[in-house]
């Protein structure tokens, strides 16, 4: 599934969004593009830790995931997951492992934290909204 790369201006604008607005942007992008982006290394998916949760960070576009592949994560690669695979495999797997999701974290590691089922519900609601155009 190919997507149109974002321009530098688009990236700069989106990075100025607060956590809630980035979450809304991710829901729209993932619904329209049909994929979620994560970062992986030889050990699997990159994880972040909040005060209360171990979280899997997700991004709406390859460019934002790639921007995180620096420093300790320089060896990481962005990987897309189809929305169907996310719903069928990732949501149950994350729930089984008691992991949360940090939605579209910025470079300060700030983002909305959702549980897997909450993200699925939000994506389904966004999909319904998008389908009613």
């Amino acid at each position: 599934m190919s997507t149109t790369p974002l321009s530098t201006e688009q990236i700069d604008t989106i990075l100025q969004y607060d956590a809630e607005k980035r979450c809304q942007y991710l829901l729209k992008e993932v619904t329209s593009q049909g994929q979620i982006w994560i970062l992986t290394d030889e050990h699997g998916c990159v994880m972040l830790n909040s005060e209360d949760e171990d979280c899997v960070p997700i991004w709406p576009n390859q460019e934002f995931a790639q921007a995180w592949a620096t420093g300790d994560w320089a060896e990481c690669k962005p990987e897309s997951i189809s929305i169907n695979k996310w719903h069928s495999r990732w949501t149950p797997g994350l729930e089984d492992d008691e992991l949360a999701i940090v939605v579209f974290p910025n470079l300060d590691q700030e983002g909305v934290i959702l549980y897997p089922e909450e993200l699925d519900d939000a994506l389904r609601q966004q999909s319904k909204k998008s389908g009613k155009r």
Side-chain angles (χ1 to χ4, degrees):
M1 194 173 290
S2 93
T3 57
T4 306
L6 295 172
S7 70
T8 304
E9 292 80 22
Q10 287 172 304
I11 292 169
D12 291 343
T13 299
I14 294 162
L15 288 176
Q16 299 303 312
Y17 293 174
D18 65 18
E20 192 58 44
K21 194 167 179 181
R22 285 194 318 277
C23 184
Q24 292 304 313
Y25 174 80
L26 177 132
L27 294 173
K28 288 178 185 167
E29 278 294 288
V30 166
T31 302
S32 69
Q33 304 294 336
Q35 58 191 358
I36 290 175
W37 288 87
I38 60 168
L39 275 180
T40 61
D41 63 14
E42 70 272 11
H43 306 293
C45 181
V46 164
M47 303 283 289
L48 292 176
N49 302 90
S50 74
E51 293 169 17
D52 304 318
E53 307 288 344
D54 290 331
C55 302
V56 172
I58 62 168
W59 292 273
N61 311 89
Q62 181 176 359
E63 292 89 342
F64 296 114
Q66 185 66 54
W68 272 71
T70 61
D72 291 345
W73 297 356
E75 301 301 312
C76 296
K77 302 278 182 260
E79 183 179 316
S80 68
I81 300 167
S82 75
I83 195 73
N84 292 336
K85 186 175 178 182
W86 183 268
H87 288 311
S88 67
R89 292 196 196 145
W90 279 77
T91 296
L94 292 171
E95 287 177 337
D96 288 348
D97 292 340
E98 297 183 1
L99 297 173
I101 297 160
V102 60
V103 177
F104 195 176
N106 62 15
L107 295 175
D108 294 326
Q109 299 189 18
E110 297 167 341
V112 173
I113 295 176
L114 296 175
Y115 292 103
E117 194 58 45
E118 290 175 313
L119 178 64
D120 273 13
D121 289 346
L123 287 169
R124 285 190 190 99
Q125 287 175 358
Q126 181 63 44
S127 185
K128 286 179 191 170
K129 281 187 219 170
S130 302
K132 293 181 180 174
R133 283 189 194 155

